[in-house]
Amino acid sequence: MLTIVNTINFKPSYNKKKIKDYTLSNRLKNIGNNIRNLRKKKQITQIDLAVMIGIDRAYLSEIENGRTNVSLNVLYAIADALNTNITCFFNENRQD
């Protein structure tokens, strides 16, 4: 006896890639805002911080504006230069 099973091909009505990109974009902006707020609180300019950690000021600006991915090595260098823990960059509602 042969049984035929109907299969339903389900396609989501949303674009998973767009959702992933939107979430990543928001996370990068949040990290950048936290870095900027802490840097300004400590009265350090972008140029000074960039020199302290050995990156270009333009790259630091891109990080602070959430327009680029940033490596953990750079995040650790920024945290060390700002005398803080890297985890504070990931707080969603940081008020510095």
Side-chain angles (χ1 to χ4, degrees), residues 52-65:
M52 290 167 65
I53 63 174
I55 64 173
D56 190 67
R57 189 218 49 89
Y59 179 50
L60 180 58
S61 176
E62 294 287 313
I63 293 169
E64 287 186 353
N65 287 297

Side-chain angles (χ1 to χ4, degrees), residues 7 17 23 25 30 32 44 47 60-61 72 96:
T7 59
K17 181 173 177 4
T23 302
S25 175
N30 182 60
I44 299 173
I47 293 172
L60 180 58
S61 176
L72 283 174
D96 282 301

Side-chain angles (χ1 to χ4, degrees), residues 3-94:
T3 305
I4 299 175
V5 177
N6 287 335
T7 59
I8 299 172
N9 194 4
F10 175 74
K11 290 187 177 182
S13 62
Y14 59 88
N15 186 328
K16 288 181 182 179
K17 181 173 177 4
K18 284 186 179 179
I19 290 175
K20 180 181 176 186
D21 289 346
Y22 176 75
T23 302
L24 177 61
S25 175
N26 283 343
R27 288 180 180 155
L28 291 173
K29 287 177 184 176
N30 182 60
I31 291 167
N33 284 332
N34 290 340
I35 291 170
R36 179 188 302 109
N37 292 339
L38 188 56
R39 176 183 59 77
K40 286 184 174 184
K41 181 180 179 184
K42 295 188 180 251
Q43 298 179 340
I44 299 173
T45 66
Q46 279 188 340
I47 293 172
D48 290 339
L49 181 57
V51 168
M52 290 167 65
I53 63 174
I55 64 173
D56 190 67
R57 189 218 49 89
Y59 179 50
L60 180 58
S61 176
E62 294 287 313
I63 293 169
E64 287 186 353
N65 287 297
R67 291 191 295 243
T68 188
N69 285 322
V70 58
S71 72
L72 283 174
N73 286 339
V74 172
L75 286 177
Y76 274 109
I78 293 170
D80 288 345
L82 296 176
N83 198 26
T84 192
N85 191 306
I86 190 172
T87 58
C88 75
F89 299 150
F90 297 94
N91 294 339
E92 297 221 10
N93 296 314
R94 186 163 179 88

